[in-house]
Amino acid sequence: MMAKNKEPRPPSYTISVVGLSGTEKDKGNCGVGKSCLCNRFVRSKADEYYPEHTSVLSTIDFGGRVVNNDHFLYWGDITLNGEDGVECKIHVIEQTEFIDDQTFLPHRSTNLQPYIKRAAASKLQSAEKLMYICTDQLGLEQDFEQKQMPEGKLNVDGFLLCIDVSQGCNRKFDDQLKFVNNLFVQLSKSKKPVIIAATKCDECVDHYLREVQAFASNKKNLLVVETSARFDVNIETCFTALVQMLDKTRGKPKIIPYLDAYKTQRQLVVTATDKFEKLVQTVRDYHATWKTVSNKLKNHPDYEEYINLEGTRKARNTFSKHIEQLKQEHIRKRREEYINTLPRVFNTLLPNLEEIEHLNWSEALKLMEKRVDFQLCFVVLEKTPWDETDHIDKINDRRIPFDLLSTLEAEKVYQNHVQHLISEKRRIEMKEKFKKTLEKIQFISPGQPWEEVMCFVMEDEAFKYITEADSKEVYSRHQREIVEKAKEEFQEMLFEHSELFYDLDLNATPSSDKMSEIHTVLSEEPRYKALQKLAPDRESLLLKHIGFVYHPTKETCLSGQNCMDIKVEQLLASSLLQLDHGRLRLYHDSTNIDKVNLFILGKDGLAQELANEIRTQSTDDEYALDGKIYELDLRPFDAKSPYLGQLWTSAFKPHGCFCVFNSIESLNFIGELIGKIRTEASQIRKDKYMANLPFTLILAHQRDSISKNLPILRHQGQQLANKLQCPFVDVPAGTYPRKFNETQIKQALRGVLESVKHNLDVVSPVPTNKDVSEADLRIVMCAMCGDPFSVDLILSPFLDSHSCSAAQAGQNNSLMLDKIIGEKRRRIQITILSYHSSIGVRKDELVHGYILVYSAKRKASMGMLRAFLSEVQDTIPVQLVAVTDSQADFFENEAIKELMTEGEHIATEITAKFTALYSLSQYHRQTEVFTLFFSDVLEKKNMIENSYLSDNTRESTHQSEDVFLPSPRDCFPYNNYPDSDDDTEAPPPYSPIGDDVQLLPTPSDRSRYRLDLEGNEYPIHSTPNCHDHERNHKVPPPIKPKPVVPKTNVKKLDPNLLKTIEAGIGKNPRKQTSRVPLAHPEDMDPSDNYAEPIDTIFKQKGCSDEIYVVPDDSQNRIKIRNSFVNNTQGDEENGFSDRTSKSHGERRPSKYKYKSKTLFSKAKSYYRRTHSDASDDEAFTTSKTKRKGRHRGSEEDPLLSPVETWKGGIDNPAITSDQELDDKKMKKKIHKVKEDKKQKKKTKNFNPPTRRNWESNYFGMPLQDLVTAEKPIPLFVEKCVEFIEDTGLCTEGLYRVSGNKTDQDNIQKQFDQDHNISLLSMEVTVNAVAGALKAFFADLPDPLIPYSLHPELLEAAKIPDKTERLHALKEVVKKFHPVNYDVFRYIITHLNRVSQQNKINLMTADNLSICFWPTLMRPDFEKREFLSTTKIHQSVVETFIQQCQFFFYNGEIVEITNTVAPPPPSNPGQLVDPMVPLQLPPPLQPQLIQPQLQTDPLGII
């Protein structure tokens, strides 16, 4: 039963392979292929197939377990799957005859029968016989697989008779056939099936095969299978056919002809080979090894199949061939790379055609070897050729192997290089020739297409030679040059016509009429017409220029890095730093002075005499002065002494120099010597203070002719002292027996000690914050950006002075001078600005004098000077400075002569100083160039300051007539209006000068000082400056001046001035009351809710204490006590010896354009081109006699601003003197301006230049990169806001007053290094943190309020209904990017909290919006549409701040109550003091401006 359950075993057959065997004599020197047939069948893999099997064995091998003393081999068994799926196991036996390798006779075995009978045996037996694998197995059986013959015995089931059909080896085929015939007879007797296997058919002899087939056909059922063990053809077919004969159920065997079977087998091999080669080709590194690759591929079916069919050896050979191909390909590519690099190398090493044109290849090689760059281009290898060295593997070494140059390819490249240089030289010559041809064609205009020009150059030789691409390239280059030149000339032309542009306030918006006027004037210029074909570019340049004129900053200066402000700051930063370092060393050397080193200079023994006199008065070289003992070290030097090299050494550093004289000759000698000392020291520049050594001139007493020569010597000595800026010690009164008096010596020593002490004060290393108001004079030097001279030239008169020092910290464009003017030492602040930065200063700052510099080589420089000077008040002294190379330019260059003459002519007309600076002259670089000018300024100082305050008074008095609605950006940097909507300071980076520039005292500083009658400043309590309404461009409330009682005893005025005043009174009698500022303090009505202080300058004597009352919305009053000194002498010094002189003292200053016919005619010429034909002379004459007294005559001139003649200014009679006509024009123009402001414009992205000068990975990054979902607010913003709200929420002027720029930069730099830094630990001011916060938003790549939403915000802001407008704005805010929305809500909430403290910090929502809207919205002021919508942008941000709860926290709409201006005063005798802050109305909304100017001149509805 169990046997039935067992699975049936597959049938097992034993097949015996027989054939010709025996000695070499019997079978020849090779067998018939029995072993190969068995090997291929049992182990078909190519690696397991052994083509050589020997039958000659040693006795030992014959007796081994594999042969086992038998003449047959057991090849093992193999399981076959038949076509019908039935398996069978086949044991293979090979009957052979082993030959003894000693006797070459068959080995003796147990079976002594001959081979024929032994081979036909059907039963085989051999105990423990092992399976045979290969010949190498014999004797080493343990190294191979050991498999025993089953049970040591087998029964043969069939025979496979092998017949070799190849050309035999020393064997006759007939003998083999005879042997096979005998063998077949014996096999037939066994009754077992037999199949003939024709072996070695791959070397088949055809007639042999035919004889075998004939032999088989004579036998019954004898099949012939044609085989080839080498190619594995029909091997398996032999055995399967025999099995089919044994098992009748398997069907009749199918015999495949050899050729068909061979084709099938070869197809398998070819397919496998292709697949394997593809696998191998995936290897791209020729350094790969077979071992590595075979390990990676061993499991791949394609790899295994090929290995089975062809074997590992062939696979390795295939791989090796592939690797060699890769290597050769690599070498080929490297060679191509080297060859392709050679032209570039030749261009580097052999660029000059003249040098190599006649050299052969070998000479060129030697020349290259001598080049400095040879080692960079070539490598000389120790072994050659290069492709057989490891250099081919140095991928990173791009140098060319030098032995490569020995090839013909390299020589050919060199020849091509020479030919290329020749052709390139010719090509360049032709291109340049064609370029010159184009330059000769006059009708080629900028922007003209090539097609219009090409027809005119078709016959040109150069055009025919060069290619079309070259001709277009040359023409494009020519076009770029003429376009660039035309644009530069156009820009220069715009500057030359500066009067046409600089006639409005900063931040004003040019109207369409103004633009038409500009185009009308410019259209006459050839430089304007030159850009006719580039009209868009021309318009862009014009708009850019206008944008810069009205919104000037050094960042947007059209001269770029040649901006005067930038160059001045750079020069001062380096020069003053060197000065400070030198003085610091001097300070350390000079502290605690107990020893004084003196250098005594004289002639004819005077120096030694003075030294002897000092020693006579000393005790052991110790001199007693003012209660202190000084050790003196005296070094007298006479005329013949080699003093210059010994003046300042490490051992002797003089504190001063006594220069003694007693005659004209000795005085001249001293003057020349001091000049040489300073000049040599300045040229050598070893020690700058050698040239700045303090000198003291001492006049020696003369016993003879004292009365005759002493006055002359005294006068000339004083003159030289003034020139040298040093003290002069005169001979005291009385008669003395000796040449020098003790009083003289003490006076001279005191002077030296004072100079040393002064230097110590200047260079004191202890930080001091001196107020700028300490300066006695404030001078502004203006220069044109881009002028062809160095900044060092115009600053050298100051920087080369020993009295030059740095100004207050933060004033990067200022320096201080200490000069002796008159009898006292004066501190002079020199602020050097570009003209565009000076315009904002001209009106709003107290300036004692202007130094106006222009280049005599540039008309635009003179044009800018004229435009600037025209608007300067004629009370301010002016120094004109022309700059050129040398005096010879005046005589050799007509253009320079014309400009210098014009400058001198203007100076003569306005009674100004004029001088010239020559870059090739040293003398004109000395400070003495401006000494006379400084003296003139000092003389007029009191008048200038009184005029400044007087003008402020008038502006404050007549504010009601200024109805121009300017841009909110131009705001004054101080405000003291508790509830005013006025702003105070323009936010960065749109300040006309820049954040880091502070020209003069800020109004907050100046507000703490008032001028007494002598022009001295003394502190008062917070009183704002009267310029606030101009800088803020807000409309003040209507304030009517109170009538005053006319005064008599008016001094007689200048006839011309009197004529002017009379003409003005005659034409405008209604306005003359405003010319008289007199008031009685007792007329002031205290019941008026009106700020009416008494005039601060023209007070009655004896009226020393008055109360100034400043109202606010809470009815609280701020009392300001102003004390005056009742000093008649002080009045006289200011020109007011009596109350009756107030008329003269109150003479309103004019502008220089009305004093200079040149300036006025130039300005008038622009107006005449577009408006009238009046002559320049008539206009000039009339303008001086017909000025309206009620307007401030020096602020706005309708002559230069015809579009806005209604604006407060002088009504020029050249236009009209009819008051009614003026009023009509005013209404019309205002309405037109307001209409223009309603127009909607499209904006573009505008990124202002970054204020940072260092690389940052935080500031300037996109907002999205600085926040996370957990922290939606940038960390820096959080830190700044928390710091401000914790420490400075109530700081006055928060976000308006600029903090120190250095502190702002340090805050950001420290945060860049450590995000966890504490701002409290940095000890910085609140204003610095606020400035750093604003700078963070200004540096963002895109504004916080996206550009894409600006049009929607503008449209929403124009909705008349308040509720609807707010809801529309809220919907727009919801469209913000989530990141922008979170940060915007955070910052607006913070600003709302700031505005809630406006009673203390004076920062209302309006003020904050004016400071913040440009930073949040990033406008592009170069676009005209932005210029007309600035107010709307500001009002939108103001609304966000006011309605913060509604927009972001679903709160209710906050009702904003507008403060109504107080009624006009009822007391006709009271005037309004300009220093009292006024309560201003709320900001104008564009949609509320209605044409009701007749009833409401302020435009406030």
Side-chain angles (χ1 to χ4, degrees), residues 111 115 214 435 445 533 544 803 829 885 926 1003 1013 1107 1125 1133 1172 1181 1183 1364 1388 1414 1488:
N111 191 344
Y115 176 80
K435 178 72 166 56
S445 58
K533 294 183 181 297
K544 184 177 181 180
S803 59
Q829 179 188 358
D885 291 336
Q926 299 176 5
L1013 295 180
I1107 303 300
V1125 179
E1133 288 180 3
S1172 68
T1181 304
S1183 66
E1364 185 179 349
I1388 290 297
L1488 298 181

Side-chain angles (χ1 to χ4, degrees), residues 434 438 450 463 466-476:
F434 181 60
L438 294 177
W450 162 245
F463 174 75
I466 62 178
T467 64
E468 182 180 0
D470 282 342
S471 59
K472 289 184 178 180
E473 186 269 328
V474 172
Y475 183 74
S476 299

Side-chain angles (χ1 to χ4, degrees), residues 394-409:
K394 297 179 180 179
I395 305 298
N396 296 327
D397 189 353
R398 297 293 180 181
R399 293 179 299 171
I400 302 173
F402 191 66
D403 62 294
L404 182 68
L405 298 182
S406 60
T407 61
L408 293 176
E409 291 176 297

Side-chain angles (χ1 to χ4, degrees), residues 39-49 78 232 308-309:
N39 189 169
R40 180 66 77 181
F41 175 67
V42 176
R43 285 176 283 279
S44 61
K45 293 181 179 180
D47 289 341
E48 297 177 355
Y49 173 73
I78 184 173
D232 195 14
N308 292 339
L309 291 175

Side-chain angles (χ1 to χ4, degrees), residues 508-570:
T509 303
S511 63
S512 57
D513 289 346
K514 179 64 179 176
M515 294 301 297
S516 300
E517 176 193 357
I518 291 173
H519 280 288
T520 301
V521 173
L522 299 183
S523 60
E524 302 175 7
E525 283 275 359
R527 289 172 288 184
Y528 180 90
K529 298 175 183 177
L531 292 174
Q532 194 67 35
K533 294 183 181 297
L534 299 173
D537 292 347
R538 182 178 64 190
E539 187 69 15
S540 176
L541 288 173
L542 181 58
L543 289 177
K544 184 177 181 180
H545 181 78
I546 293 175
F548 171 69
V549 167
Y550 294 133
H551 307 278
T553 67
K554 62 185 177 184
E555 290 82 8
T556 58
C557 178
L558 301 176
S559 297
Q561 290 302 311
N562 289 325
C563 176
M564 186 60 60
D565 295 326
I566 296 176
K567 298 177 75 172
V568 166
E569 290 179 10
Q570 293 173 348

Side-chain angles (χ1 to χ4, degrees), residues 1297-1484:
V1297 177
S1298 293
N1300 186 280
K1301 183 179 182 296
T1302 302
D1303 288 345
Q1304 296 178 27
D1305 290 346
N1306 285 339
I1307 291 171
Q1308 292 193 347
K1309 288 179 181 178
Q1310 293 291 337
F1311 183 83
D1312 254 338
Q1313 297 174 4
D1314 181 10
H1315 288 1
N1316 297 320
I1317 190 172
S1318 171
L1319 296 181
L1320 289 172
S1321 64
M1322 296 183 64
E1323 298 182 356
V1324 291
T1325 63
V1326 173
N1327 289 332
V1329 176
L1333 177 61
K1334 289 169 68 177
F1336 169 84
F1337 288 106
D1339 285 347
L1340 289 176
D1342 298 304
L1344 189 59
I1345 301 178
Y1347 284 119
S1348 58
L1349 298 179
H1350 287 192
E1352 297 185 42
L1353 289 173
L1354 290 177
E1355 291 301 319
K1358 294 178 181 179
I1359 299 175
D1361 182 71
K1362 176 181 178 180
T1363 303
E1364 185 179 349
R1365 179 169 67 253
L1366 293 179
H1367 281 283
L1369 289 173
K1370 190 172 184 179
E1371 291 302 317
V1372 178
V1373 172
K1374 291 180 180 179
K1375 297 180 181 180
F1376 278 28
H1377 188 281
V1379 173
N1380 292 50
Y1381 179 86
D1382 290 338
V1383 179
F1384 184 64
R1385 177 178 61 182
Y1386 183 80
I1387 199 66
I1388 290 297
T1389 304
H1390 165 64
L1391 294 178
N1392 179 266
R1393 285 196 286 267
V1394 175
S1395 68
Q1396 291 173 12
Q1397 305 297 326
N1398 68 81
K1399 297 292 191 302
I1400 304 175
N1401 61 29
L1402 306 182
M1403 294 305 293
T1404 61
D1406 178 53
N1407 290 344
L1408 291 169
S1409 66
I1410 293 176
C1411 291
F1412 257 94
W1413 83 263
T1415 303
L1416 298 178
M1417 302 188 76
R1418 199 81 54 76
D1420 181 2
F1421 288 110
E1422 292 184 6
K1423 287 298 182 180
R1424 294 178 62 183
E1425 53 264 29
F1426 261 117
L1427 297 177
S1428 61
T1429 58
T1430 55
K1431 180 60 187 174
I1432 304 179
H1433 286 99
Q1434 179 254 319
S1435 64
V1436 167
V1437 176
E1438 179 186 1
T1439 303
F1440 285 138
I1441 299 174
Q1442 289 174 339
Q1443 305 292 344
C1444 171
Q1445 294 296 326
F1446 168 74
F1447 284 113
F1448 303 110
Y1449 303 103
N1450 296 323
E1452 298 295 330
I1453 296 176
V1454 179
E1455 294 298 330
I1456 307 299
T1457 58
N1458 294 336
T1459 305
V1460 181
S1466 59
N1467 190 341
Q1470 182 63 45
L1471 290 178
V1472 180
D1473 192 290
M1475 305 302 286
V1476 177
L1478 304 177
Q1479 191 62 52
L1480 300 187
L1484 293 177

